[in-house]
């Protein structure tokens, strides 16, 4: 089954033929998830009930092709293969031949679609032009790369294809500025027509076929300055070009006019033989020197280190005698004699490759990789062949640096067990070849990582070596890559790495990431308890409780169970487990006191709640856990406010305790907003919620930001500010989905459903809330749902 949109509209392999459902599928496939209400108004702008129209279309699609449409109660999206998506992937991958094969005609061309509506029609025509323009640009860019390699006839053919793209608007002046030199260089029959078109824009082009080809030939991109300087060397000057393998020394020489002499070993004077001609047979060194010194012209001597010894010795003597010829030599090393000009080649800069978008990122400016990229060949193949020419130490060092986000040479030296001289030699080899810069940063790192990933055994071995040198919190990603190679000696550090990484993720407000990492951690009590805590922070209370099932009884376990049972709306069990934990260490006792305070708060005993919060805060402060200390102070302020006292000072204390912890500042400000709302200070509450949302997003705590937007939406909702409420709820919904807390997601979805009158969305929200197991919230939202049904048109009809 495949959606065909280029040159027509059909869903191949299905019986779906109605135009409007097909167009809806196309829109969702290309544009991604969209709200039902938005789709109804877009596709049926004149319908009396657009929501009903979209429901009918969805039903038709699902009857004809099940499982293609997905929804979350509010939004719809489609998941199926589509020629337009394949086409866009081919364009991004710079695969013009594939793109043209997929482009069977203009987007939705010849489709008999009635009653489009102005906005939908505008979208379709804009999409048609953008796809056609993308194909035109792909063809033109490929034509330029072909010309850069001297394939001028092929280049002109690609320009002709670019001109004739179906569905594309008339070519712009910028197009003709790029296209006409290519047509001229390829002697295209389309040239005259193209020049007439350009004349209408008052564009004039001068030159002939040869000048056009000379300007277009870019086989040596980015070395224009070096090339110009070498072309103007006076007679008798000697120039030395230094650069590592693959940095373009030979290519630079080949751009020059002169006698090209590659370094050759073997027989005496093998390299200079073309210059020595018959006198070589006489073998008289003085005669050979006089013969060479008398010659004029330009000698282009490539690879000094590959030359036979006799040629090198003769050139060294000749340099002291002087020559009429201009001599240009290349080498990986320094010259053995003085020279008049010296050029050192390094990787090309991003600025020099600005005319080739994506080239620097793909190649790191290495000319050998750039040539492959310009030919649309895999960069990895060219890089891999160069890597194989390195010494074993250099290969290991390069691979290890490739794994690191930031270079750390001392760490890598320890990991590879290299001594200082070995590291220096390997570094020199990598820098000479342009593989790394002096800091150790890898050029073309993306391609290097793909090559390393294709060698999983090597990657795992290096990752394990690096992990053993790192601190626990930094080692985890490397231990994960090396999982198959862990030894008994690694297990303790692996456990510490999981623990440190997860604790840091929790501290920074990413509980779901911590839970995901700990899911694959070694199954020991300490990590299982931490896993359950991460699940609890992420709002996955039932899963957290299940994770604790197999753990031995302990105050820390009881303390967390108490918190979970409170979250799940089971106060008796929560109190029982919290009281069991009171005799534990300070951390378990602090968590237990917090749970008991929450229970007191829930029952309206704010005085007792405040006292227990204060005790818990003292313990967290003593333990040095500033985040949880600030969190409990936040709860205490809320209890004081609920007891009718002025809690602004208490909230200020909680904010001071939070310090630069943005997550805790966000949560405290969120509570402050709720207090202001209870005091009927709506402007103050709005300000606090906005500030809480901003702080939470800055810290990366998506769930806290979602709660702030949800509270803001509810405040607007109660004030009949419908558009503001809908915007806030949608912001909350987006963040809740990213954060992954199902209970929060269900709550926001239920609130939005009540606002928009969407029964199906409310039912889905109830399912999410029920999965959390929080009986209190489940009962509340079931009651709200019944009330919602009763006052809706559907309820009135029933």
């Amino acid at each position: 089954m495949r959606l065909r949109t280029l040159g027509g509209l059909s869903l191949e392999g299905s019986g779906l033929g109605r135009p409007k459902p097909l167009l809806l599928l196309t829109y969702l496939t290309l544009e991604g998830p969209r709200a039902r209400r938005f789709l109804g108004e877009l596709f049926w702008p004149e319908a009396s009930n657009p929501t009903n129209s979209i429901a009918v279309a969805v039903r038709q699609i699902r009857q004809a092709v099940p499982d293609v449409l997905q929804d979350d109660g509010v939004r719809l999206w489609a998941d199926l293969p589509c020629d337009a998506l394949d086409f866009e992937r081919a364009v991004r991958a710079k695969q013009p031949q594939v793109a043209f094969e997929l482009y069977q005609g203009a987007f939705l061309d010849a489709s008999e679609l009635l009653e489009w509506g102005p906005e939908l029609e505008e979208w379709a025509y804009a999409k048609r032009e953008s796809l056609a323009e993308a194909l035109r640009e792909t063809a033109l860019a490929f034509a330029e790369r072909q010309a850069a390699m001297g394939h001028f006839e092929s280049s002109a053919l690609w320009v002709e294809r670019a001109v004739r793209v179906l569905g594309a608007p008339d070519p712009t002046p910028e197009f003709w500025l790029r296209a006409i030199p290519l047509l001229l260089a390829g002697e295209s029959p389309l040239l005259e027509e193209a020049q007439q078109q350009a004349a209408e824009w008052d564009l004039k082009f001068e030159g002939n076929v040869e000048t056009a080809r000379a300007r277009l030939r870019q086989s040596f991109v980015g070395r224009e300055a070096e090339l110009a300087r070498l072309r103007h060397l006076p007679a008798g000057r000697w120039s030395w070009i230094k650069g590592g393998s693959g940095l373009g020394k030979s290519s630079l020489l080949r751009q020059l006019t002169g006698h090209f002499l590659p370094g050759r070993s073997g027989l005496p004077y093998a390299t200079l033989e073309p210059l020595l001609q018959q006198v070589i047979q006489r073998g008289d060194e003085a005669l050979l020197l006089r013969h060479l010194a008398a010659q004029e012209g330009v000698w282009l001597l490539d690879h000094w280190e590959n030359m036979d010894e006799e040629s090198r010795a003769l050139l060294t003597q000749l340099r002291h005698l002087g020559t009429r010829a201009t001599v240009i030599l290349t080498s990986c090393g320094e010259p053995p004699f003085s020279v008049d000009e010296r050029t050192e080649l390094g990787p090309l800069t991003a600025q020099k490759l600005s005319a080739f978008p994506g080239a620097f990122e793909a190649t790191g400016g290495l000319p050998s990789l750039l040539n492959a990229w310009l030919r649309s060949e895999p960069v990895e193949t060219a890089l891999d062949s160069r890597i194989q020419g390195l010494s074993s130490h250099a290969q290991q060092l390069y691979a290890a640096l490739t794994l690191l986000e930031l270079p750390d040479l001392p760490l890598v030296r320890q990991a590879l067990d290299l001594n200082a001289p070995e590291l220096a030699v390997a570094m020199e080899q990598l820098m000479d070849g342009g593989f790394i810069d002096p800091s150790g940063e890898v050029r073309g790192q993306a391609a290097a990582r793909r090559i390393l990933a294709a060698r999983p055994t090597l990657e795992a071995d290096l990752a394990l070596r690096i992990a053993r040198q790192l601190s626990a919190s930094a080692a985890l990603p490397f231990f994960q890559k090396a999982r198959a190679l862990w030894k008994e000696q690694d297990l303790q550090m692996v456990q510490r790495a999981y623990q440190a990484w997860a604790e840091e993720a929790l501290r920074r407000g990413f509980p779901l990431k911590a839970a995901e990492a700990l899911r694959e951690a070694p199954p020991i009590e300490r990590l299982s308890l931490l896993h359950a805590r991460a699940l609890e922070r992420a709002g996955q209370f039932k899963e957290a409780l299940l994770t604790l099932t197999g753990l031995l009884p302990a105050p820390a376990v009881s303390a967390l169970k108490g918190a979970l049972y409170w979250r799940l709306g089971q106060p008796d069990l929560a109190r029982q487990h919290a009281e069991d934990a009171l005799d534990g260490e300070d951390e378990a006792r602090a968590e237990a006191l917090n749970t008991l305070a929450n229970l007191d708060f829930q029952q309206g005993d704010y005085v007792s709640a405040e006292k227990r919060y204060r005790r818990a805060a003292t313990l967290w402060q003593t333990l040095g856990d500033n985040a949880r200390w600030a969190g409990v102070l936040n709860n205490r302020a809320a209890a004081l406010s609920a007891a009718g006292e002025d809690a602004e000072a208490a909230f200020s204390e909680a904010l001071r305790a939070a310090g630069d912890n943005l997550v805790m500042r966000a949560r405290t400000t969120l509570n402050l907003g709720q207090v202001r709302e209870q005091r009927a200070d709506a402007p103050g509450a709005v300000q606090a919620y906005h500030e809480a949302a901003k702080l939470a997003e800055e810290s990366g705590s998506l769930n806290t930001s979602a709660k702030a937007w949800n509270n803001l939406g509810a405040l607007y909702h109660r004030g009949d500010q419908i558009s503001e409420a809908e915007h806030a709820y949608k912001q909350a919904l987006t963040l809740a989905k990213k954060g992954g807390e199902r209970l929060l997601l269900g709550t926001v979805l239920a609130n939005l459903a009540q606002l928009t009158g969407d029964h199906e969305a409310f039912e889905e929200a109830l399912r999410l809330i029920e999965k959390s197991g929080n009986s209190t919230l489940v009962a509340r939202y079931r009651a709200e749902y019944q009330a919602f049904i009763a006052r809706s048109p559907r309820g009135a009809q029933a």
Side-chain angles (χ1 to χ4, degrees):
M1 191 179 301
R2 190 165 185 265
L3 186 60
R4 179 175 172 265
T5 65
L6 300 174
L9 179 59
S10 62
L11 184 56
E12 298 170 351
S14 81
L16 187 64
R18 288 178 169 270
K20 222 49 177 291
L22 280 173
L23 185 58
L24 176 61
L25 265 183
T26 300
Y27 186 90
L28 291 171
T29 299
L30 297 182
E31 298 298 325
R34 289 293 186 274
R36 284 173 175 264
R37 172 182 286 188
F38 169 83
L39 293 169
E41 293 172 353
L42 177 65
F43 278 77
W44 291 274
E46 297 179 4
S48 58
N49 189 349
T51 304
N52 184 59
S53 298
I54 190 74
V56 171
V58 168
R59 188 161 54 251
Q60 290 172 348
I61 292 171
R62 284 177 169 162
Q63 287 172 350
V65 278
D67 301 325
V68 164
L69 271 184
Q70 310 293 326
D71 77 279
D72 59 10
V74 174
R75 302 180 306 165
L76 287 167
W77 62 91
D79 182 19
L80 75 167
C82 175
D83 58 357
L85 293 177
D86 293 340
F87 167 83
E88 289 176 334
R89 278 191 286 271
V91 167
R92 288 194 297 270
K94 298 184 177 67
Q95 297 174 322
Q97 192 65 53
V98 176
F100 269 93
E101 288 171 3
L102 289 165
Y103 196 86
Q104 296 298 307
F107 179 68
L108 303 184
D109 190 34
S111 299
E112 296 179 5
L113 300 173
L114 306 176
E115 303 174 354
W116 284 41
E119 290 186 17
L120 187 58
E121 186 174 8
E122 183 180 342
W123 169 79
Y125 282 113
K127 194 69 177 178
R128 178 177 296 175
E129 286 197 359
S130 71
L131 293 175
E133 284 280 25
L135 183 59
R136 173 175 283 169
E137 173 59 30
T138 299
L140 185 59
F142 186 69
E144 289 171 332
R145 293 201 294 273
Q146 289 285 295
M149 295 182 288
H151 305 322
F152 299 111
E153 291 183 8
S154 172
S155 171
L157 290 174
W158 280 99
V159 176
E160 292 168 17
R161 297 181 79 174
V163 172
R164 300 191 181 104
V165 170
L166 295 172
D170 290 335
T172 62
E174 292 77 12
F175 173 87
W176 292 122
L177 283 170
R178 295 166 62 188
I180 287 181
L182 297 167
L183 294 172
L184 176 60
E187 299 179 280
S188 167
L190 189 63
L191 178 61
E192 184 176 349
E193 178 184 336
Q195 288 174 327
Q196 291 173 359
Q197 293 284 335
E200 296 179 7
W201 294 97
D202 201 26
L203 299 175
K204 297 180 181 179
F205 296 87
E206 297 179 354
N208 54 33
V209 174
E210 291 307 318
T211 57
R213 290 182 174 182
R215 289 171 183 167
L216 289 167
R217 193 185 298 275
Q218 294 285 342
S219 58
F220 200 75
V221 174
R223 302 292 192 199
E224 291 78 9
E226 293 90 339
L227 195 57
R229 188 168 64 251
L230 290 169
R231 279 175 173 163
H232 292 91
L233 281 176
R237 303 282 284 183
W238 284 54
S239 178
W240 188 272
I241 302 171
K242 178 190 174 185
S245 173
L247 290 180
K249 303 184 300 296
S250 301
S251 298
L252 179 55
L253 280 193
R254 292 183 185 278
Q255 301 305 304
L256 298 168
T257 302
H259 208 139
F260 186 80
L261 301 165
R264 295 190 297 162
S265 58
L267 295 172
Y269 306 116
T271 302
L272 295 175
E273 183 178 0
L275 296 176
L276 296 173
Q277 299 176 353
Q278 298 301 320
V279 296
I280 197 173
Q281 302 297 332
R282 299 171 63 178
D284 185 335
E285 188 173 279
L287 177 63
L288 298 180
L289 283 171
R290 287 195 300 272
H291 181 80
L292 290 174
Q295 292 189 42
E296 298 181 351
V298 177
W299 303 345
L300 307 172
L301 293 148
D302 199 21
H303 290 303
W304 171 267
E305 52 276 359
N306 292 347
M307 293 181 190
D308 58 280
E309 292 182 11
E310 291 77 9
S311 290
R312 285 203 298 262
L314 200 59
L315 286 168
T316 301
Q317 294 184 62
L318 191 62
R319 171 59 186 144
H320 297 302
L321 293 173
T323 57
R324 294 182 180 180
T326 301
V327 182
I328 303 174
L329 303 104
T330 73
S331 173
C332 291
E334 296 292 336
F337 41 72
S338 65
V339 292
D340 303 304
E341 302 279 348
R342 187 178 181 281
T343 300
E344 185 158 354
L345 300 183
L348 299 169
T349 64
Q351 183 179 1
K352 287 188 176 181
L353 296 179
S354 59
F356 300 87
F360 183 78
E361 292 75 11
T363 67
L366 295 177
S368 58
L369 307 189
L370 178 64
N371 290 335
W373 187 86
L374 288 171
R375 294 191 298 269
S376 298
E377 296 173 357
V379 172
E380 292 85 349
T381 304
L383 179 58
D384 197 22
S385 64
R386 293 194 61 220
I387 292 172
Q388 300 310 313
L390 297 171
S391 68
S392 60
H393 283 161
Q395 287 189 39
Q396 277 197 318
L397 178 59
Y398 182 64
L401 290 170
T402 294
L403 280 174
L404 297 176
E405 291 298 329
L406 295 173
D408 188 332
L409 292 170
L411 181 146
V412 171
R413 184 168 74 86
Q414 292 293 328
L416 299 180
D417 195 24
L418 297 176
N419 59 39
E422 288 170 338
L423 177 68
V425 171
M427 278 285 292
E428 185 178 4
Q429 192 175 1
L430 292 176
M431 285 193 291
D432 283 347
F435 291 94
I436 62 173
D437 68 13
S439 72
E441 185 173 346
V442 173
R443 301 183 186 276
Q445 191 171 43
R449 284 182 171 174
R450 288 193 291 271
I451 292 171
L452 189 57
R455 297 174 170 82
T457 303
L458 173 62
E459 183 182 41
D461 176 63
L462 290 172
L464 184 60
R465 290 170 180 244
I466 291 171
R468 289 169 176 168
Q469 304 300 320
L470 290 168
S471 65
S473 59
L476 182 59
F478 297 94
F479 274 128
Q480 288 173 319
K481 286 181 181 292
R483 191 179 189 89
L485 302 182
W486 291 350
K487 296 181 179 179
E488 189 69 31
Q489 69 195 63
D490 297 310
L491 291 182
Q492 284 192 352
M493 189 172 179
V494 168
Q495 293 162 10
R496 289 198 300 272
Y498 273 102
Q499 181 174 347
W501 193 94
E503 286 175 346
E504 178 65 12
L506 286 174
R507 188 189 69 79
R508 294 175 59 190
F510 294 100
L512 199 60
K513 289 185 178 295
E516 288 170 355
L518 290 166
R519 189 169 284 115
E520 62 178 29
I524 62 170
E525 297 268 328
R526 184 174 72 255
L527 294 182
S528 296
L529 180 61
L530 185 58
H531 185 201
R533 189 177 303 286
L535 290 168
E536 182 255 342
R537 299 268 185 93
Q540 299 184 15
F541 309 129
K542 291 170 70 175
E543 291 91 336
L545 200 56
L546 188 63
T547 303
L548 293 174
T549 302
L551 299 188
L552 296 172
V557 175
S558 295
L560 184 51
K561 281 184 176 180
L564 288 167
Y565 279 120
W566 176 72
R567 292 279 195 180
L568 291 167
Q570 300 182 53
D572 292 341
L573 283 172
R575 189 175 296 278
Q576 174 190 326
H577 283 285
E579 288 175 348
D580 289 345
L582 287 175
D583 293 332
E585 298 293 332
D586 286 351
E587 185 172 352
R589 180 174 170 78
E591 187 160 23
L593 284 167
N594 189 61
T595 298
L596 292 170
N598 287 336
L599 290 165
D600 290 341
F601 192 110
Q602 198 171 46
Q603 293 174 351
D605 188 352
Y606 304 122
V607 174
S608 176
E610 188 274 334
K611 290 179 179 177
R612 280 175 161 155
Y613 283 139
R614 190 151 26 98
R615 287 190 176 194
T618 301
L619 288 171
W620 287 126
Q621 186 180 20
T622 302
L623 289 165
D625 193 330
N626 288 347
R628 302 188 76 175
W629 172 45
V632 177
L633 287 177
N634 178 19
N635 292 344
R636 174 178 173 267
L640 287 170
S641 176
E645 298 185 31
D646 184 0
E648 291 282 346
F651 277 116
S652 296
E653 183 186 2
L655 284 171
R656 285 194 300 273
D660 60 357
N661 187 316
L662 295 182
V663 176
M664 293 314 306
R665 293 184 68 84
R667 291 174 183 168
T668 303
T669 308
L670 178 63
N671 269 8
L672 180 59
Q674 292 171 329
V675 168
R676 288 176 178 174
E677 193 176 342
Q678 290 163 7
R679 292 202 314 249
D681 178 11
V686 168
Q687 179 188 5
Y689 290 146
H690 274 297
E691 186 178 349
K694 181 182 177 183
L695 287 168
E697 285 195 56
E698 286 178 7
S699 71
S701 181
L702 302 178
N703 288 339
T704 302
S705 186
K707 288 174 185 175
W709 280 108
N710 185 50
N711 285 9
L712 194 58
L715 178 60
Y716 286 137
H717 195 168
R718 286 190 292 273
D720 289 327
Q721 295 174 266
I722 303 304
S723 61
E724 291 87 350
E726 185 172 7
H727 170 72
Y729 282 145
K730 286 182 176 178
Q731 289 285 102
L733 189 63
T734 299
L735 292 163
K737 285 177 181 176
K738 291 180 181 177
E741 185 177 321
R742 285 200 294 266
L743 179 60
L744 176 60
L745 181 59
T747 303
V748 176
L749 193 57
N751 291 344
L752 182 58
Q754 291 186 73
L755 181 73
T756 59
D758 192 329
H759 295 79
E760 290 80 6
F762 207 144
E763 289 169 2
E764 290 301 320
L766 269 179
R767 290 191 184 95
L768 286 169
I769 294 169
E770 286 167 353
K771 285 181 180 178
S772 75
N774 189 313
S775 55
T776 304
L777 272 180
V778 170
R780 171 189 157 190
Y781 275 96
R782 278 179 181 162
E784 288 191 13
Y785 178 68
Q786 294 304 319
F788 170 70
I789 291 294
R791 63 177 181 266
S792 69
R794 182 190 297 182
Q797 291 169 3

